[in-house]
Amino acid sequence: MPTYDDWRHRAACRDQDPELFFPVSDIGPGARQTEQAKAVCARCPVRAQCLEYALANALDHGIYGCTTESERRTLRRRAVRKAA
């Protein structure tokens, strides 16, 4: 159970339809949905915490911290190369 000061309580997406953040694809209507989800993320005060959470938990689906699945894969690959 989240604590009162949990960053998720301050998330801009908290009152949005969760399906917005899980587009079916990156093309066609999915691209438009991704843009809409990222617009919500762009104004979010806890965007960095959300991205950290997604990366730490290897979340492979959905928009987190204003990033898509493929963008997070790229970030993880960069981090691995940097650590090597």
Side-chain angles (χ1 to χ4, degrees):
M1 174 177 265
T3 61
Y4 178 74
D5 62 345
D6 190 320
W7 60 268
R8 291 173 285 193
H9 289 284
R10 299 187 322 270
C13 63
R14 189 180 82 219
D15 297 323
Q16 300 289 320
D17 181 352
E19 291 199 21
L20 174 64
F21 299 91
F22 294 92
V24 174
S25 74
D26 291 340
I27 58 174
R32 189 169 35 259
Q33 186 177 344
T34 296
E35 288 176 21
Q36 292 171 337
K38 283 186 164 195
V40 173
C41 293
R43 69 175 192 268
C44 185
V46 294
R47 184 173 71 194
Q49 292 96 323
C50 182
L51 177 56
E52 288 175 27
Y53 175 80
L55 292 170
N57 292 285
L59 299 179
D60 291 334
H61 302 289
I63 308 295
Y64 289 90
C66 211
T67 62
T68 63
E69 300 125 20
S70 62
E71 291 167 337
R72 288 192 302 280
R73 281 193 296 271
T74 299
L75 290 172
R76 282 192 292 271
R77 281 193 301 268
R78 286 182 188 161
V80 167
R81 274 188 251 142
K82 191 175 184 179

